[in-house]
Amino acid sequence: MKPAFSRVMGLSLVLAAALFSPAVAQETVTYATDGGNILDVMKKTLIGPAEQKLGIRVVPDPNADRYPVLKAQVLSGKPTWDVVDFSAGYCARGQQEGLLEPLDYSEIPNAASVPEQFKDEYSVGLSAYATVLAYNTDTYGDNGPKTWADFWDVEKFPGRRALRNYARPTLEIALLADGVAPEDLYPLDVDRAYKKLEEIKPHINVWWTSGAETTQLLFDGEVDMLPLWDGRADTAIQEGAAAKFTRNQAIMEYTCLAVLKGTQHKDAAMKFINALLDPKGQAGWATDYLTGPLNTAFAQHVEPKRLARLTTAPENLKVQVPLNAAWWASEAGANAEKRWLEFMQK
C-alpha cells in the first residue's frame, strides 16, 4: 500500500468512526430554564440521570425572561429551544397564542401522578411554590395572624405590614380577607378586591418588589407581618429570623413544562419531560433544594421532616389555595393587572 493511499484510508476510517460514534449520534434537547443553584441541583438529580437513561444530550439554557424569547423563536419557524419551564400563566398564554406543541402523554407516564388541575393538553406542572403569611415572633409570640382576615385586622394585630407591589396574588389575598371562600374565588371579583385593598393601604409600610427584599424584611424585623414566598420565609427562619409562617390560605402558584411548536426533537422532548417528572429524581431535587415537586408520588421518597417543609406535601396541599393562571392570562386578568398601577398611584 502506498503511503498517500494509506493516509487517505486512515482519514476515512477516522471520519467514519466519528460519524457513527455514540457522541455524534446522540440527539440533543435544549432546555430553557432558570439558572443558579436550582439548576445545579436539577443537573445532579434530574437532568444527568435523564441523559443516561434516554441516551440524549441535554443543553440547559438559563434565561430569566423566557416567554418573549420563546415567542420569537417559534414565530421564526426555527426554534432552538425544545423544552421550556416557566410560570403557569405563560403556559396558558403560549397555548392561547399557538406557540406550543400538544403533549403526547403516552410518552409521559409520570404525569399520571400530577394532579389534574396542574396539567392540560399543552403543559404539565413541574413544581409549585406558595405565598404564605409570615409574622414576627418577637411581636406576636406564637399567637400571630393565621388568616388574611387577621392581616387586615389592625386592632387585634397592631404592627407594621408589607404587601407585594403586584396584583397577583394580592387580589386573591384581599378577597380571602373579605370572606370569599377559596372555591368561589374565580372569576375574581376585581372591584371587590380593590375596594378591600383600599382598607389596608394606609397601614402598609412597605410595598415589596423582590424575593430578596422579603427575606431581608423578615430577617431584620423591619415589618411585623407580610405575605412572601414560602422558600424565602423558610430561608430567613433557617438563618435565624425571629419569625413563623402559616400555610393556611397560602396562595399556591406553579411552574409548568411545555414543548415549543416546530421543535425538531419532539419525541425526545416528550421523553425528557417524563424524566423531569420522575418521582425519585424529584424527591432528590426537593431534598437538596427547597422546592415543591408536582408529581405527588415524590412524597414517598422524601424524609418526613423535609417533606413537611415543602409546598406540595400532602398536608400542605389541603390548606393552600391554587392560583388560577388561566384566569390571569385572560383579558379579564390582564385588565385587573393594568388597574394595579392606578391603585398604587392614588
Side-chain angles (χ1 to χ4, degrees):
M1 186 177 290
K2 296 179 180 179
F5 179 72
S6 178
R7 285 198 298 275
V8 171
M9 284 298 292
L11 287 172
S12 298
L13 289 172
V14 170
L15 179 60
L19 285 172
F20 292 100
S21 70
V24 174
Q26 263 186 336
E27 191 168 10
T28 297
V29 171
T30 302
Y31 173 38
T33 183
D34 287 314
N37 186 237
I38 189 171
L39 177 58
D40 292 339
V41 178
M42 286 188 85
K43 286 178 179 175
K44 183 180 74 172
T45 58
L46 289 165
I47 295 173
E51 289 182 312
Q52 287 192 341
K53 183 177 181 180
L54 302 176
I56 62 174
R57 178 171 174 255
V58 176
V59 178
D61 188 356
N63 188 300
D65 194 13
R66 298 187 279 285
Y67 192 78
V69 179
L70 174 145
K71 188 170 183 177
Q73 287 191 13
V74 173
L75 294 180
S76 77
K78 295 181 178 178
T80 55
W81 291 347
D82 302 297
V83 175
V84 64
D85 73 55
F86 41 31
S87 71
Y90 287 129
C91 280
R93 190 176 298 176
Q95 177 180 346
Q96 290 172 1
E97 296 186 354
L99 304 175
L100 306 178
E101 290 280 353
L103 296 182
D104 180 358
Y105 279 102
S106 69
E107 298 282 1
I108 314 173
N110 284 327
S113 303
V114 176
E116 289 299 322
Q117 66 263 41
F118 303 120
K119 58 188 175 185
D120 57 37
E121 186 180 357
Y122 291 87
S123 65
V124 59
L126 174 63
S127 66
Y129 60 96
T131 298
V132 299
L133 172 55
Y135 60 90
N136 188 325
T137 51
D138 285 342
T139 305
Y140 303 113
D142 291 330
N143 297 313
K146 299 294 190 294
T147 67
W148 298 118
D150 289 345
F151 185 90
W152 256 252
D153 193 338
V154 296
E155 294 185 2
K156 184 178 179 182
F157 296 100
R160 298 156 296 175
R161 287 160 163 78
L163 265 181
R164 187 183 182 188
N165 187 358
Y166 200 61
R168 189 184 71 239
T170 314
L171 298 193
E172 279 89 344
I173 288 172
L175 289 170
L176 289 170
D178 206 30
V180 176
E183 60 270 24
D184 297 330
L185 269 180
Y186 298 97
L188 294 186
D189 186 334
V190 176
D191 289 337
R192 183 174 174 179
Y194 276 106
K195 184 178 178 182
K196 189 67 177 176
L197 282 166
E198 294 286 357
E199 289 180 19
I200 199 67
K201 190 177 181 182
H203 305 282
I204 301 302
N205 300 82
V206 179
W207 293 92
W208 63 264
T209 56
S210 73
E213 186 181 2
T214 61
T215 305
Q216 202 63 43
L217 285 171
L218 202 59
F219 196 83
D220 294 343
E222 186 176 336
V223 296
D224 297 304
M225 65 174 79
L226 77 162
L228 78 167
W229 300 317
D230 51 357
R232 291 287 183 178
D234 186 84
T235 298
I237 293 169
Q238 296 302 316
E239 292 179 356
K244 286 188 174 181
F245 68 86
T246 176
R247 289 191 179 275
N248 184 40
Q249 297 185 327
I251 309 297
M252 191 170 71
E253 300 181 59
Y254 70 99
T255 64
C256 54
L257 292 161
V259 176
L260 279 71
K261 189 172 186 178
T263 173
Q264 298 300 302
H265 310 100
K266 187 161 65 174
D267 186 57
M270 301 296 170
K271 291 176 180 175
F272 176 56
I273 285 179
N274 187 58
L276 289 176
L277 297 176
D278 176 75
K280 288 186 178 178
Q282 289 205 332
W285 183 31
T287 298
D288 290 354
Y289 185 89
L290 195 73
T291 189
L294 274 172
N295 182 347
T296 54
F298 89 99
Q300 58 189 299
H301 304 291
V302 178
E303 193 272 328
K305 285 188 178 178
R306 179 71 176 182
L307 178 63
R309 292 167 55 192
L310 303 178
T311 310
T312 50
E315 293 304 311
N316 294 336
L317 287 173
K318 293 176 185 175
V319 299
Q320 296 171 151
V321 182
L323 180 141
N324 188 327
W327 185 86
W328 279 103
S330 70
E331 184 177 357
N335 290 335
E337 203 166 294
K338 289 176 184 173
R339 279 183 61 174
W340 185 261
L341 185 60
E342 179 185 341
F343 165 74
M344 290 298 292
Q345 289 178 338
K346 278 184 181 177

